[in-house]
Amino acid sequence: MEIIVGRQGSQKVPITDATVSRQHCKLTEMADGTFMLENLSKNGTSVNGQSIIRTHVTRDTVLQLSPTFSII
């Protein structure tokens, strides 16, 4: 399963925060139940306070998509 997160992403709950990119990041479910997160935004994506390009995340990871919007 692959989910694009952003204002025009494929997530079930829409994001309307203008500081989030239209296609901000991509989550891909791995066989072990974790997710691969890939930044798609020029503004960057942070995971648990660290800027990332691509990393593994779990369901309890905090994603910061902009200074005013995070996903827990």
Side-chain angles (χ1 to χ4, degrees):
M1 174 176 62
E2 183 177 284
I3 299 170
I4 301 295
V5 178
R7 289 184 286 118
Q8 292 181 344
S10 58
Q11 70 281 349
K12 291 182 181 182
V13 178
I15 297 172
T16 58
D17 188 316
T19 63
V20 175
S21 297
R22 286 175 283 184
Q23 294 189 353
H24 201 96
C25 59
K26 176 172 66 174
L27 285 164
T28 305
E29 188 173 18
M30 308 304 285
D32 64 358
T34 62
F35 293 85
M36 176 62 67
L37 175 71
E38 183 178 349
N39 176 53
L40 301 176
S41 172
K42 293 178 186 175
N43 299 322
T45 301
S46 294
V47 172
N48 296 327
Q50 302 251 351
S51 182
I52 62 97
I53 295 173
R54 189 173 201 201
T55 191
H56 278 92
V57 296
T58 59
R59 295 184 187 274
D60 61 345
T61 301
V62 177
L63 306 179
Q64 187 77 37
L65 304 184
S66 74
T68 60
F69 190 87
S70 61
I71 300 171
I72 299 172

